[in-house]
Amino acid sequence: MKPRILVTREVFQVTLDYLGQHFEVDSNQSDTPLTSAQLSGRLADKDGAMTVLTDRIDEVLLAHCPKLKAVCNIAVGYNNFDLKACTARGVLATNTPGVLDAATADFTWTLILATARRLTEAEAWLRAGEWKGWKLKQFLGTDVQGATLGVIGMGRIGQAVARRAQGFDMTVLYYNRKRLTPELERACHAQYASLDELLARADIVTLHTPYSPETHHLIGAAQLAKMKPSAILIHAARGGVVDDMALIEALETGKIAAAGLDVYENEPKFNPAFLKFKNVVLAPHIASATTNTRRNMAMLAAKNLVAALTTGNPPNLLNPKT
Ligand code: DGY
C-alpha cells in the first residue's frame, strides 16, 4: 500500500501527478484554508503532509495525528511549525530554501522602486480621472540611484537584494546575526554595520530576516525613531518582524517618509490603518509569486515529502540533529 498524504492547499497539476506516483493523495484543491479542526481531521490517518504558511503544525495537532511522519512546507519560512514538537514526535519537517531567492529579491526591488517613485499613488490618481496635464512638480519622488541601502538579514535573499543594488550605484550596508565572509561581502559590495548605524545612515531599509522569537518586533518604535525622516522602509520578510502599530505611528508622525509592504501582522486581516496612507505601497504577500518560482517551490516540497517518507532523509530537513 502506498503511504497516504494530504496536500493542504491548491498546487499545480504537475506536482499532484508527481505525488500520485508515490502516494495515495488527498488534496484540498478547493484552496479554502482548512481550519485547525479540519486539518487535524484530514491528517489523522495520513503519513505525510504538504503544507503552506497558514497551516499551524503544533503539539495539539500532532497529538491527533499519530501516523504522521513528515510535514513539508511550500515556503522557505516555517514559523507555522512548532519544530520542537515535530522533533519530539519524530515528525520530519522541511522547507523550500533557494528556489525563491531571485523572485523575492526582484519583488523587493519592485517595492523599492514603486515606493520611492510613488507609483501606486500616481496610478490610483490617474485611474480616478484626476490627470489634467503635465506639471514640473507632479508626483515628485526620491532618487534610488546613488542612495544608501540598508539590508537587515543577509541570508540568500538579502544577498540577492544587495547584489541588485550595484545597478543603481548604491552604497550597501548590512546587518546580520553573523558577519559574512570577506569574499561574500565583496561579492555583495556590502559593508557590515551595527543595526543602529544602519538605521541612522540608510535611505532605504529593507528586511530579510526569518520570523522567530528573536526577530519578533525587531523593528519597533525605538528603531523607527532612529531612521531618517526621509527614509523608506521595505518589508517583504514575515509579519511580526515589524511592529505594525509602531510603523503606523511612525508614518502618521512623519518619523519616516514611506513604506513598501508585502507582509503584515495577522495576515490577511492586516491593520486597516495602513489603507489610509498614500505613501505606503501595499502588496498581498506575493514576493515569491512568479509561475516558475511557485511551481519550483511546490515541486521541491513534493520532493522533500517523497524523500522523507522513503529514505527518511529529505534534502531540506529542518529538525535539529540529535
Ligand atoms: C516563504 O516562502 O516563506 C514565503 O513567504 C511564501 O510565499
Side-chain angles (χ1 to χ4, degrees):
M1 248 200 22
K2 287 179 178 173
R4 306 180 73 187
I5 65 142
L6 174 69
V7 180
T8 65
R9 295 290 295 276
E10 184 179 13
V11 291
F12 301 92
Q13 189 55 46
V14 61
T15 321
L16 285 180
D17 292 346
Y18 172 75
L19 289 167
Q21 292 165 20
H22 301 269
F23 306 126
E24 196 181 307
V25 181
D26 174 15
S27 74
N28 172 27
Q29 294 303 293
S30 74
D31 207 28
T32 321
L34 300 174
T35 62
S36 12
Q38 289 168 332
L39 189 60
S40 77
R42 298 266 290 260
L43 270 181
D45 60 345
K46 302 295 190 301
D47 300 288
M50 250 175 62
T51 53
V52 299
L53 53 94
T54 48
D55 301 317
R56 180 95 199 115
I57 306 293
D58 56 15
E59 176 53 31
V60 178
L61 177 122
L62 293 173
H64 283 96
C65 309
K67 293 183 70 190
L68 199 63
K69 294 175 205 64
V71 285
C72 299
N73 232 18
I74 312 176
V76 66
Y78 53 90
N79 52 296
N80 56 313
F81 289 170
D82 179 340
L83 209 50
K84 250 195 188 149
C86 290
T87 306
R89 288 191 172 268
V91 175
L92 304 180
T94 66
N95 67 341
T96 59
V99 290
L100 46 65
D101 299 350
T104 305
D106 288 351
F107 192 76
T108 300
W109 275 95
T110 307
L111 284 178
I112 291 173
L113 293 167
T115 309
R117 300 303 301 272
R118 303 171 61 184
L119 178 63
T120 53
E121 180 190 355
E123 187 188 3
W125 182 84
L126 176 148
R127 284 181 188 270
E130 298 291 338
W131 192 20
K132 304 291 182 275
W134 185 91
K135 283 190 192 176
L136 191 67
K137 293 187 182 171
Q138 212 160 48
F139 288 107
L140 299 179
T142 303
D143 284 325
V144 171
Q145 168 86 15
T148 296
L149 179 69
V151 181
I152 298 177
M154 199 62 157
R156 286 176 312 266
I157 295 171
Q159 290 174 33
V161 170
R163 281 197 303 273
R164 283 156 173 74
Q166 285 318 292
F168 293 91
D169 297 326
M170 297 177 94
T171 299
V172 180
L173 305 175
Y174 79 94
Y175 169 73
N176 198 45
R177 252 180 330 174
K178 238 177 89 189
R179 192 167 170 167
L180 300 185
T181 61
E183 295 73 40
L184 268 179
E185 283 188 355
R186 267 195 299 279
C188 296
H189 302 267
Q191 310 157 31
Y192 183 77
S194 69
L195 182 57
D196 283 357
E197 185 192 353
L198 180 151
L199 292 169
R201 285 181 56 197
D203 300 301
I204 299 164
V205 173
T206 183
L207 301 169
H208 301 286
T209 64
Y211 179 65
S212 68
E214 292 74 44
T215 60
H216 176 72
H217 289 184
L218 178 68
I219 301 299
Q223 291 69 33
L224 290 159
K226 289 177 182 152
M227 289 172 66
K228 299 179 188 179
S230 56
I232 293 172
L233 181 74
I234 301 295
H235 187 19
R238 208 27 129 247
V241 173
V242 172
D243 177 345
D244 284 355
M245 272 311 295
L247 175 56
I248 288 162
E249 210 262 334
L251 288 160
E252 263 162 2
T253 54
K255 286 202 179 76
I256 67 168
L261 307 174
D262 186 47
V263 292
Y264 313 84
E265 292 189 282
N266 308 316
E267 290 174 20
K269 293 186 185 127
F270 67 97
N271 193 319
F274 280 124
L275 296 173
K276 71 181 177 207
F277 297 113
K278 289 189 175 158
N279 52 343
V280 177
V281 173
L282 301 167
H285 202 142
I286 54 169
S288 64
T290 70
T291 307
N292 260 339
T293 297
R294 287 282 166 90
R295 226 181 237 151
N296 290 339
M297 289 165 69
M299 201 46 109
L300 183 54
K303 288 191 170 151
N304 273 312
L305 189 51
V306 171
L309 294 185
T310 53
T311 67
N313 193 17
N316 305 115
L317 187 61
L318 293 166
N319 307 77
K321 301 262 175 304
T322 46

